[in-house]
Amino acid sequence: MRRREREITDISEIEDILNNSVYLHLGLVDDGMPYVVPMNYGITKDEVDGHYIIYLHGANEGRKLDVIRKNPNCCVTMERNVAPFEGRMACQYGTVYECAMGFGTIGIIEDPAEKIHAMKVLMHTQTGRDDFEFDERMLSIVTVMRIDVKELTAKRRPLPGSEHK
């Protein structure tokens, strides 16, 4: 990370970004070209080693799935508290934000029990509720994906002048 003064290292602050962003951008590589898709997500931690797991869902066919099947490497970004600010001159304008960026591998979940678990995690992340029920018939109309995050960083850009307050 180039701007170390913007790096967030406190795990509770990072998890606040991960748990409270509205959506993420999924970055894939399609035959050497970037392909980025905004998506809803669910996030949890692996019970064995504690790495983050991100769940996504989408249609049963399409470009995204074709790309994933060819190349499972991916990145994700999510942001919150985004707001532009003005300056006295053009180069002093900017945006305040908090964001997280992760790298990992993505795969398609085939196991029905894991798909149900993934959808419950996704719905909890998106709504805060745990009372949704899913069955195999409902899940047959969606593809559920899993990202195992191998590297994660976070940063914030505060309003200029507020860094030292």
Side-chain angles (χ1 to χ4, degrees):
M1 182 173 301
R2 186 179 69 80
R3 300 290 302 264
R4 291 285 178 202
E5 74 277 8
R6 295 183 182 171
E7 183 177 20
I8 300 171
T9 57
D10 182 300
I11 195 67
S12 65
E13 290 182 56
I14 293 170
E15 289 186 350
D16 199 35
I17 295 168
L18 298 176
N19 290 316
N20 294 299
S21 294
V22 177
Y23 58 90
L24 62 74
H25 291 93
L26 171 64
L28 304 168
V29 179
D30 185 10
D31 291 327
M33 292 298 294
Y35 178 64
V36 179
V37 183
M39 300 187 74
N40 293 321
Y41 68 95
I43 191 157
T44 189
K45 278 186 164 183
D46 183 80
E47 293 178 4
V48 176
D49 67 9
H51 76 273
Y52 292 100
I53 298 169
I54 298 172
Y55 293 111
L56 310 169
H57 78 296
N60 281 331
E61 58 184 48
R63 181 177 180 188
K64 177 174 58 257
L65 295 179
D66 294 341
V67 173
I68 289 168
R69 287 183 181 108
K70 289 189 287 186
N71 182 352
N73 296 312
C74 68
C75 78
V76 295
T77 62
M78 53 189 78
E79 63 280 333
R80 68 179 196 155
N81 299 328
V82 177
F85 61 83
E86 297 181 1
R88 290 189 320 276
M89 61 172 100
C91 293
Q92 292 176 335
Y93 280 66
T95 305
V96 298
Y97 60 85
E98 296 174 308
C99 68
M101 177 182 286
F103 296 89
T105 54
I106 186 169
I108 298 167
I109 298 173
E110 302 294 344
D111 177 61
E114 187 178 3
K115 285 176 82 169
I116 289 170
H117 170 74
M119 289 302 296
K120 287 183 178 187
V121 169
L122 192 147
M123 292 307 298
H124 177 79
T125 300
Q126 293 297 312
T127 70
R129 292 176 40 201
D130 292 317
D131 58 343
F132 294 95
E133 294 295 326
F134 300 93
D135 59 35
E136 290 184 39
R137 185 196 59 76
M138 292 169 64
L139 294 178
S140 69
I141 61 173
V142 298
T143 296
V144 181
M145 295 149 276
R146 172 185 170 140
I147 299 171
D148 288 282
V149 179
K150 296 180 172 141
E151 178 184 340
L152 181 73
T153 59
K155 68 178 183 175
R156 83 168 41 86
R157 181 175 188 191
L159 192 62
S162 67
E163 301 92 343
H164 305 292
K165 292 182 179 178

